[in-house]
Amino acid sequence: MWRSVSRRAPRPGAGRRRLLAGALALGTVLSGLLPGTAAASNSTIDPFDAVDQFIGTRLDTSQNKGNSAYGDTYPGATVPFGMVQSSPTTYRTSDGDQKGGYEYTADRIRGFGMTRLSGTGCEGRFGAFDFPVLPYTGDLPGGALPTSPATRITDYYLPFSHTAEKAEPGYYSVRTDNDVKTELTASTRAAVSRYDFPGRAGSTLLIDVAGSNNRIFDSHVTIEGNTVSGWVDAASICDVGGHYRAYFSTTFDKPIRSFGTWQGGTVTPGSATAQGTDTKHGVGAYLVFDKGAKVTAKSGLSYVSVAGAALNRDTEVGSSGFDKVRGQAAKTWRNALKTVTVDGGGREERVKFYTALYHALLHPNVFEDVDGRWTGYDGEIHRVARGHHQYVTFSGWDTYRGQAQLVALLFPKVGDDINQSIVDMVRQTGSWPNWPHLNQSQQKMSGDSLQSLLASVDAFGSTHYDRAAALASMVATQSLPATATKRAAGYQYFSTGFIENRRGNSATSTTLEYAIDDFGIAQLAGRLGDRDAYRTFMARAQNWQNVFDSQTRQIRPRGRTGFDQGFNLGERGDQFDQATGYQYGWLVPQNVGTLIEKRGGVAKTTAELDEHTKNLDAGVYNVTGAYLSNQPSFSMPYVYNWLGRPDRTADVLRRATTEMYDTSPSGLPGNDDLGSLSAWYVWANLGVYPSIYGTANLVISAPMFEHIKVKSAGTGRTITIAADGVAHGRPYVDGLKVNGHRTSRSWVGEDFARKGGTLKFTMTRTPGSWGTGAGDVPPSYTDGSDDRNNIGTTPAGRGNLGSLDLSDNSLSREQLAAAGATPGARLPLGDTGAVFTWPDAAPGEPDNWIPHGQRIDLHNAPATAISFLGLATNGPSQGTAVVEYTDGSSRQVPVQFTDWTPGTAYQFGNTPLITTNGRNNVSGGSDSAQAKVFATVPTALDPAKRVASVVLPQGTDRGVMHIFDVTLTTR
């Protein structure tokens, strides 16, 4: 049933470069976005007007799914992929909760900051929110603030009501209860804010320089004339990893009549400078204007210097007023949103769709100043190539599952620069961080997902970057001796092909994630013609099979003595990252067909998936259902396509988009994680999804709008989708023409995404036969499935080039050679006529099979018996192989091995064919243990038949089996 691929409710109150001076620096970010690039929709609501920034801002406390039922989005002013996110952040007086972001049930604003991350977890430690500003109307006794914000910052928080807010792309405003109207807009690197103070009230602005969300390490502020500037050292997202330095420079269009600073608990009127150490809110400045003033502030942001911040402001904003900047931001958003035009559907569907598209285009972010300079991960100043951008902040674990692909499809030049930015990061750090924030190398979540992300962006056609360097760094860092990788348990994974359960730290799901990452590396290698790297990483892309238990037919934790069949697959955490084993059990996007086969075939797997999708958002607490508000479940609905039931894919997606998403402030069902949930929603509505991560294949469900046009900015690539009747009770695909040619396949190949084309659907009221044939299912990538997958032999002093037993021990290649087992050596088994060939593998290359059903070609040979060469670690170990005859018949044969350090106690009639004295270990030393490699007793075969192949055991009873060779004899 699969194709094997081988290269061989409405919100209350909704209402890289130097540019010409005065320009808003948005054109190069969104190259090709010119007014009128897309046809107008027939709907009554324009894409720009359909965006509701308040969707996702409320935590739904009625749900306890594991992760917060909270989009953690924000209303504020930014432009697509902008450096600046000028936005409010909130505080709730009833319990002091501030979330670290904007939360809809809060009743006070704790400032208007310049930076923000959209949708992240780490509640209360979201990061960013640098340089918040608070308008204050109270008295200043003796010219000083009544209390230092460092002592009691809550005194200055601003009560507000949602009915007094307004937000649209590139703009936010609120009239707080002190009757100050605050308006925010932004260019790429600058925030422009307008504060309209009431009547004869005091008009003071507080700049909380040390007010960032996370820990503060140092800060500085200076007032000079009508300019305030400074910097802060703050901890990055989740308050882990390093800390970044951000700079600002702000000018005001009204005279500053008096000013002062605070430092710690001391407020000093007339002071023009202050500097602190690590005190939160410990340093800031206050500026006093004429009573009732209407003040416009223009603030540049930089991660290079104060001078860079000033240059960014002056270049992008210059003499432009607030309204002009707002208009340009709106124009940019209109063009960005019109890269996807949809017709059909009601107002609510369009609001959800375009709000999701808006959220999907907020990250990653431009990082270089207008002169091209940026501070690297190495702390040095670099300059990006003219005409390009340096992008930062990648939520790898989240965004490799669709958000990065959407950006690459809509903005190919952004995709080019994303990949080059990642290559630059790797050059500077020497490895692959998996969740870098700004220029801080960080490890968060499991997997090494930026490799898959880069490969996917490349697959979608964003290939104008140093591709050779990208692949070279992947091969160099993701190989033994694992000294340059940041993969947790990388040495064990590279050596043995899985991470044992005793390590915890989401060991089992991390194995699955690493296999996906390796698949991405292999696909990039294949596109670049590197056959060796392709073979190596495709073999590792099949490592998911090492944690598939053939007895229970489930992915489950595996240890050195076998699978933990008593493990509760409904449990989150120790073995599965932010998900259960039931949810991760579907995450083999690179080889779904083999997964289905191993689970018991189409009928059994369909029934299991039907049961799994009864609850689409079950959470992680001892449940068997799905968790579509979190990333590991994203590709799960599309498994139905491999089962020949694309209609059920469409059913699940329609249920999810209607049951889980709405237009209320809690309308995002989980953390948006830099736009990943939103991008998934966009793909679900388009009716196609890049579910084979690392490729540009698009798996088809059913469009949710009747007419869709996707136009890649700056190129001629256009995808046109027509699904007449889908909005009128015809939700199922009954036929499809791709570029005018009829097809029953439920997927389109990579060229379609790269070049564009047309999809014309025939829709029907009830499921039909479209996409149900054996040849209709999407591809499964099986290359490497039968390759050796363990590195069990190492040179003296280089035990870090392999591991046989999960305790970091390996067979010595020198000891093996002394016993006659040199690479390619022939090893006879007494007078049985059986002769083994020792693997001709170089150091660091796989030399044996840990069995999971690999098929070994035996070349249609005549035989009277079969024997296996191998051993068990933490054994003994037994399994059953299947000999396949050329006439289509088969025979089961036992495969049984003694532990490799048995003394003189051999089991199963094993014959010790090789004996070594001393094993190598990962530290470079060796022990004195005598180790043995065994031959099994030859098992009789039918002499009248020829042997086509042997399928190694699908699993073993205990220990870890290692097979070095298989041989036949005619005696």
Side-chain angles (χ1 to χ4, degrees):
M1 285 293 293
W2 68 91
R3 178 170 177 264
S4 176
V5 171
S6 170
R7 273 197 163 87
R8 230 197 26 198
R11 177 190 56 82
R16 236 173 201 209
R17 299 328 112 221
R18 183 180 303 276
L19 305 171
L20 295 175
L24 293 180
L26 302 179
T28 58
V29 178
L30 304 179
S31 177
L33 282 183
L34 299 176
T37 56
S41 169
N42 293 328
S43 175
T44 57
I45 182 169
D46 179 83
F48 180 88
D49 297 327
V51 174
D52 186 344
Q53 292 191 46
F54 293 93
I55 293 176
T57 60
R58 184 168 63 201
L59 170 63
D60 184 351
T61 56
S62 67
Q63 299 187 59
N64 183 21
K65 300 180 293 189
N67 289 359
S68 295
Y70 179 35
D72 188 25
T73 56
Y74 65 91
T78 188
V79 295
F81 317 116
M83 179 188 289
V84 164
Q85 301 84 32
S86 184
S87 55
T89 300
T90 59
Y91 176 85
R92 192 167 56 219
T93 55
S94 61
D95 57 3
D97 185 89
Q98 61 184 38
K99 295 295 176 202
Y102 179 101
E103 205 286 317
Y104 199 80
T105 65
D107 58 342
R108 294 195 179 195
I109 289 174
R110 58 188 182 97
F112 303 98
M114 287 187 72
T115 59
R116 182 69 158 83
L117 290 159
S118 181
T120 59
C122 295
E123 189 170 298
R125 299 175 291 124
F126 296 137
F129 189 54
D130 300 308
F131 313 123
V133 174
L134 284 154
Y136 177 68
T137 58
D139 294 332
L140 301 178
L145 296 173
T147 58
S148 170
T151 303
R152 201 163 62 243
I153 185 66
T154 54
D155 287 356
Y156 299 96
Y157 289 170
L158 303 165
F160 77 110
S161 168
H162 293 303
T163 59
E165 291 184 292
K166 178 181 179 181
E168 64 184 29
Y171 175 79
Y172 170 85
S173 71
V174 63
R175 186 174 296 277
T176 45
D177 287 5
N178 62 359
D179 205 26
V180 177
K181 183 177 182 180
T182 298
E183 297 176 277
L184 310 176
T185 192
S187 65
T188 299
R189 304 172 181 85
V192 181
S193 309
R194 187 159 60 191
Y195 306 95
D196 189 355
F197 288 89
R200 298 181 57 78
S203 303
T204 304
L205 291 176
L206 280 67
I207 304 176
D208 187 5
V209 177
S212 304
N213 263 334
N214 289 338
R215 285 182 300 150
I216 301 299
F217 297 88
D218 202 356
S219 57
H220 181 87
V221 65
T222 297
I223 306 167
E224 186 174 359
N226 254 36
T227 300
V228 180
S229 59
W231 49 263
V232 66
D233 279 348
S236 49
I237 177 68
C238 294
D239 204 359
V240 297
H243 53 92
Y244 60 89
R245 177 170 288 191
Y247 302 86
F248 78 97
S249 179
T250 303
T251 60
F252 301 89
D253 70 338
K254 297 295 189 294
I256 299 172
R257 299 305 185 187
S258 62
F259 57 82
T261 64
W262 71 86
Q263 187 166 319
T266 303
V267 177
T268 308
S271 169
T273 185
Q275 183 162 344
T277 52
D278 58 357
T279 303
K280 193 75 173 287
H281 310 293
V283 165
Y286 62 95
L287 315 172
V288 181
F289 301 90
D290 290 332
K291 289 185 176 182
K294 188 173 186 178
V295 181
T296 297
K298 299 177 180 179
S299 302
L301 178 67
S302 171
Y303 294 93
V304 175
S305 65
V306 167
L311 181 64
N312 290 340
R313 177 198 64 229
D314 294 343
T315 303
E316 293 192 354
V317 177
S319 60
S320 297
F322 181 94
D323 292 331
K324 183 175 182 180
V325 177
R326 176 186 175 184
Q328 184 62 47
K331 180 179 179 181
T332 302
W333 272 115
R334 289 184 187 278
N335 292 322
L337 295 168
K338 285 183 179 178
T339 54
V340 185
T341 58
V342 298
D343 289 332
R347 180 184 181 90
E348 182 170 358
E349 287 74 28
R350 292 179 63 81
V351 168
K352 289 195 294 182
F353 181 82
Y354 280 110
T355 301
L357 181 58
Y358 168 85
H359 284 143
L361 302 181
L362 296 177
H363 296 286
N365 305 102
V366 169
F367 193 62
E368 85 286 349
D369 290 345
V370 292
D371 61 1
R373 300 199 310 156
W374 63 286
T375 302
Y377 299 83
D378 54 4
E380 301 297 322
I381 303 299
H382 302 266
R383 191 180 296 272
V384 75
R386 179 177 291 274
H388 296 274
H389 288 289
Q390 196 70 31
Y391 287 100
V392 293
T393 305
F394 299 98
S395 174
W397 189 83
D398 310 286
T399 56
Y400 88 86
R401 308 174 205 257
Q403 188 267 350
Q405 294 91 325
L406 184 63
V407 169
L409 176 63
L410 301 183
F411 304 105
K413 293 183 179 180
V414 175
D416 290 335
D417 288 349
I418 284 172
N419 277 3
Q420 185 59 52
S421 297
I422 292 173
V423 172
D424 293 341
M425 174 188 68
V426 173
R427 282 173 172 156
Q428 292 169 21
T429 64
S431 193
W432 285 75
N434 68 358
W435 214 117
H437 174 214
L438 299 175
N439 58 352
Q440 300 303 302
S441 170
Q442 289 194 135
Q443 298 302 109
K444 292 200 310 132
M445 307 302 298
S446 55
D448 210 5
S449 306
L450 290 189
Q451 293 149 24
S452 179
L453 185 151
L454 181 144
S456 293
V457 170
D458 182 278
F460 270 77
S462 292
T463 58
H464 296 91
Y465 68 101
D466 196 338
R467 303 172 83 197
L471 179 61
S473 69
M474 292 177 185
V475 173
T477 59
Q478 310 314 318
S479 302
L480 289 170
T483 53
T485 186
K486 288 185 176 293
R487 295 191 186 186
Y491 165 73
Q492 184 174 91
Y493 173 82
F494 296 157
S495 299
T496 67
F498 69 100
I499 304 171
E500 61 179 327
N501 57 354
R502 69 171 60 187
R503 289 180 177 265
N505 197 28
S506 305
T508 306
S509 66
T510 298
T511 298
L512 300 179
E513 295 282 1
Y514 287 167
I516 294 170
D517 303 332
D518 289 337
F519 176 74
I521 297 172
Q523 293 307 297
L524 179 63
R527 290 193 287 271
L528 293 180
D530 188 332
R531 300 300 302 171
D532 289 340
Y534 174 79
R535 284 191 294 267
T536 295
F537 287 94
M538 273 307 299
R540 284 185 11 192
Q542 310 301 339
N543 280 343
W544 66 271
Q545 299 187 65
N546 289 329
V547 290
F548 189 92
D549 176 22
S550 61
Q551 292 188 33
T552 62
R553 294 186 180 272
Q554 293 168 314
I555 288 169
R556 63 172 51 252
R558 183 179 186 178
R560 55 187 64 187
T561 58
F563 285 92
D564 183 358
Q565 294 178 349
F567 181 84
N568 175 15
L569 290 176
E571 176 185 312
R572 168 198 178 170
D574 181 68
Q575 294 297 316
F576 296 97
D577 198 354
Q578 289 195 5
T580 68
Y582 293 109
Q583 293 152 5
Y584 257 107
W586 303 101
L587 190 65
V588 186
Q590 70 273 29
N591 194 356
V592 177
T594 300
L595 175 68
I596 292 170
E597 180 182 86
K598 284 182 173 288
R599 290 185 71 119
V602 170
K604 179 177 180 293
T605 306
T606 301
E608 291 172 344
L609 191 54
D610 287 347
E611 180 66 27
H612 184 67
T613 55
K614 285 181 179 178
N615 191 335
L616 297 183
D617 204 20
V620 293
Y621 298 120
N622 198 28
V623 296
T624 60
Y627 191 11
L628 270 172
S629 63
N630 206 31
Q631 286 75 17
S633 285
F634 277 7
S635 62
M636 174 274 299
Y638 298 90
V639 172
Y640 275 120
N641 283 56
W642 278 266
L643 294 167
R645 295 302 306 268
D647 59 297
R648 294 195 185 177
T649 303
D651 282 337
V652 170
L653 296 180
R654 278 195 305 274
R655 284 175 53 206
T657 55
T658 56
E659 295 173 11
M660 296 169 55
Y661 292 79
D662 61 45
T663 58
S664 74
S666 56
L668 267 175
N671 296 152
D672 201 23
D673 289 313
L674 275 58
S676 60
L677 259 73
S678 291
W680 182 89
Y681 184 90
V682 170
W683 286 113
N685 277 261
L686 295 180
V688 295
Y689 179 62
S691 69
I692 308 174
Y693 310 129
T695 77
N697 296 310
L698 296 175
V699 177
I700 295 171
S701 51
M704 297 188 190
F705 292 96
E706 294 200 335
H707 300 97
I708 303 169
K709 180 170 283 189
V710 178
K711 183 172 176 59
S712 299
T715 74
R717 177 173 60 184
T718 300
I719 294 175
T720 302
I721 301 172
D724 291 335
V726 71
H728 302 284
R730 296 186 177 186
Y732 299 108
V733 179
D734 193 44
L736 173 64
K737 288 184 178 180
V738 179
N739 296 330
H741 300 285
R742 190 174 301 279
T743 181
S744 60
R745 296 194 316 181
S746 66
W747 64 286
V748 290
E750 294 183 287
D751 279 351
F752 186 87
R754 293 171 188 157
K755 298 177 181 178
T758 61
L759 299 175
K760 183 173 178 57
F761 290 88
T762 302
M763 307 304 294
T764 184
R765 296 183 184 277
T766 58
S769 62
W770 180 84
T772 62
D776 295 338
V777 303
S780 294
Y781 290 76
T782 59
D783 275 5
S785 293
D786 299 327
D787 292 0
R788 289 180 169 94
N789 59 352
N790 174 241
I791 304 169
T793 68
T794 61
R798 296 301 309 277
N800 58 1
L801 290 183
S803 174
L804 199 64
D805 68 348
L806 300 173
S807 293
D808 304 340
N809 296 308
S810 54
L811 289 168
S812 163
R813 292 174 73 93
E814 288 79 9
Q815 290 280 332
L816 289 166
T822 56
R826 310 256 305 160
L827 304 172
L829 177 56
D831 60 359
T832 64
V835 180
F836 297 100
T837 300
W838 190 251
D840 188 9
E845 293 182 353
D847 48 39
N848 69 90
W849 291 278
I850 295 177
H852 56 59
Q854 297 94 329
R855 177 173 277 103
I856 312 305
D857 187 1
L858 295 180
H859 311 293
N860 302 338
T864 58
I866 187 171
S867 181
F868 300 83
L869 180 69
L871 53 84
T873 57
N874 302 284
S877 186
Q878 303 181 71
T880 301
V882 177
V883 172
E884 298 177 325
Y885 294 112
T886 56
D887 66 359
S889 63
S890 63
R891 178 185 171 183
Q892 294 185 346
V893 296
V895 184
Q896 302 165 309
F897 282 114
T898 302
D899 187 88
W900 68 324
T901 57
T904 58
Y906 313 146
Q907 297 179 265
F908 316 121
N910 285 171
T911 299
L913 205 59
I914 305 167
T915 299
T916 66
N917 294 298
R919 305 174 302 176
N920 294 339
N921 57 55
V922 67
S923 63
S926 62
D927 62 18
S928 59
Q930 188 179 81
K932 298 180 184 294
V933 183
F934 300 95
T936 63
V937 174
T939 300
L941 301 178
D942 188 339
K945 297 183 178 182
R946 288 181 174 265
V947 178
S949 55
V950 61
V951 178
L952 299 183
Q954 294 287 343
T956 54
D957 62 339
R958 50 189 171 144
V960 180
M961 182 181 288
H962 300 262
I963 298 174
F964 288 90
D965 193 27
V966 183
T967 193
L968 302 172
T969 179
T970 56
R971 291 190 187 176

